Amino acid sequence: MSYRSLLRLAGAGFFPLGFLGRLPYAASALSTLVLLQAATHSYAFAGVASAAQSIATAMSGPLLGALADRYGHRSVGAAAAVANFAAWGALLAASHGTREGMLVAAALVGLTQPQVAPLVRVYWSRLMRSRNEHHLLSTALSYEASADEISFVAGPALVGLLASVSPLAPSVVIMFLIAACTLPFALRHVDGITRQPPSVERGRPHLPRRPLAVMVVAMAAMGGIFGAVQTAVTVYADAIGKPGASGLLYAVFGIGSALSGFACAWLPQRFSPRLRYVSFAATLFVGMLVLFLGARTGSFPVAMALASFTVAPYMISLYALTERLAPAGRAAVAMTVLCAGGPLGTAGAQAVSGGLAETHGVPGALLVALTVAAGALLLALVTFLADRERGVWLVDRAPDPQALSAS
């Protein structure tokens, strides 16, 4: 499918504003780390505060999604942007005070983090259904995965560039992006949802909890791979005496993933979401195996480039399945619950891979990525077999509220 169709449906202004509007999310944790390390001269405390912020983001995401489903994406998205702007201001002020205040302010930044990426995926789903062009959804999800990957390359790179000017600069620029991009994007390019009458609200279909839990665990596995790879890249760059190379290597990883995400738009329709999930879980495992073997044989940069192409297709399959699992009135909370698995998996893998890297170097960190990928493949196979073509856990068609509420 042509990406020109998305341009026709959403309008030209949607894409630059939507991309810039998600940059604060991608740059948030590193900006906090830079700011608080400069304020306290302690990497340990800054790391704890950054982790607290990431956990708060994962916890608040489903709540914001539920509020968006209930009160409308535009109003909740705009309120979150305003609150997040204020929280960043509080963090800048707290950086001149006590550590307790810094920790609380960092957590507030995470709690108010606008959920641009998951909510915009719901926007695409609704737009396609309203225009009767649901066949274009895979193209939109491919674009979104690629935009996410590019943002997670551009965000940290922007922080690194600004930090060379001042440790305050990344936080100030994030506040500017929230005011100039995130807030206008929520107000102009996210369809509002009229609140349903109380009688209708009580009749809303329930989320399919067990199938959604499978998707969250699968996304946590993806987050675990990101965390382990980030650790491995940092250790490798230090080992070769070029700490600055870590950013370049991770950029290669992100760019390769973005390219494969763009390419997913041209996959044939007969290659169903359920088959894509299992197939891409298998290719992800192969990619992590290549990466692990490359670290052991001295060809780590080449292995990074090859493995990167296996990342985005797996994530796109999770978004597509979740979109089909969720009833229309609960799509936002489903997407934010799914996305919450990512940072939780990242935090856990970073803790484990960091310890293994201390004693076994880069291969030790990548062993975590390989193990997690094996678990993700096993989960995909078990779910595929358990579903037995029923289309309840792995849905190939548009959601059926009655079937989903009974699952």
Side-chain angles (χ1 to χ4, degrees):
M1 296 297 171
S2 171
Y3 282 102
R4 286 179 295 181
S5 300
L6 300 186
L7 186 65
R8 170 177 54 82
L9 287 171
F14 175 91
F15 295 94
L17 204 59
F19 177 76
L20 293 174
R22 76 185 73 201
L23 276 183
Y25 186 103
S28 180
L30 186 56
S31 296
T32 298
L33 186 70
V34 169
L35 175 67
L36 298 188
Q37 191 280 328
T40 64
H41 305 287
S42 170
Y43 279 107
F45 173 77
V48 168
S50 183
Q53 185 182 105
S54 296
I55 293 171
T57 299
M59 293 174 61
S60 67
L63 175 60
L64 290 175
L67 291 173
D69 280 334
R70 188 177 182 89
Y71 298 108
H73 291 197
R74 180 178 290 121
S75 57
V76 172
V82 172
N84 196 236
F85 182 90
W88 274 106
L91 182 60
L92 283 171
S95 66
H96 300 287
T98 65
R99 291 192 175 191
E100 291 78 9
M102 296 179 200
L103 193 61
V104 170
L108 284 176
V109 169
L111 287 172
T112 58
Q113 183 70 60
Q115 299 291 314
V116 175
L119 293 184
V120 80
R121 286 174 168 89
V122 178
Y123 163 80
W124 280 119
S125 175
R126 289 175 174 163
L127 182 64
M128 300 308 179
R129 290 179 187 175
S130 67
R131 304 290 179 85
N132 197 27
E133 296 194 68
H134 198 275
H135 61 284
L136 288 174
L137 183 59
S138 62
T139 304
L141 293 179
S142 296
Y143 164 75
E144 288 300 321
S146 300
D148 281 348
E149 290 295 326
I150 295 172
S151 73
F152 279 106
V153 173
L158 179 65
V159 173
L161 179 64
L162 293 170
S164 64
V165 178
S166 166
L168 300 177
S171 300
V172 172
V173 170
I174 283 179
M175 293 179 70
F176 170 79
L177 287 172
I178 292 169
C181 301
T182 307
L183 179 58
F185 184 73
L187 292 173
R188 293 177 56 191
H189 293 288
V190 178
D191 284 347
I193 306 166
T194 304
R195 185 181 175 184
Q196 298 295 327
S199 59
V200 176
E201 285 185 7
R202 287 194 294 268
R204 288 187 305 168
H206 297 291
L207 283 173
R209 294 182 180 178
R210 286 174 291 177
L212 182 57
V214 171
M215 294 295 100
V216 172
V217 173
M219 183 60 80
M222 190 70 258
I225 288 172
F226 282 141
V229 171
Q230 287 170 5
T231 301
V233 165
T234 303
V235 173
Y236 176 81
D238 287 340
I240 63 174
K242 297 179 179 178
S246 60
L248 179 61
L249 280 171
Y250 204 71
V252 169
F253 194 70
I255 291 170
S257 180
L259 290 174
S260 64
F262 271 116
C264 284
W266 287 278
L267 290 173
Q269 291 293 316
R270 63 181 179 274
F271 190 17
S272 66
R274 58 190 289 118
L275 292 177
R276 293 184 191 191
Y277 172 46
V278 177
S279 301
F280 293 143
T283 58
L284 182 66
F285 172 73
V286 171
M288 293 307 105
L289 179 61
V290 168
L291 192 54
F292 178 73
L293 295 176
R296 294 183 64 88
T297 58
S299 54
F300 183 61
V302 175
M304 279 281 291
L306 294 174
S308 67
F309 289 95
T310 67
V311 173
Y314 175 79
M315 289 197 299
I316 292 170
S317 70
L318 300 184
Y319 286 121
L321 287 169
T322 301
E323 184 272 335
R324 291 168 184 264
L325 279 171
R330 309 299 303 279
V333 68
M335 282 295 183
T336 49
V337 166
L338 175 70
C339 291
L344 294 177
T346 298
Q350 284 177 330
V352 176
S353 61
L356 287 174
E358 287 284 346
T359 54
H360 298 92
V362 176
L366 291 178
L367 181 61
V368 175
L370 181 60
T371 303
V372 170
L377 176 56
L378 180 61
L379 177 65
L381 290 172
V382 169
T383 305
F384 183 85
L385 294 174
D387 198 47
R388 298 174 184 171
E389 300 293 336
R390 293 180 300 165
V392 175
W393 290 62
L394 302 177
V395 184
D396 284 340
R397 300 173 301 279
D400 180 351
Q402 293 181 350
L404 289 172
S405 60
S407 63

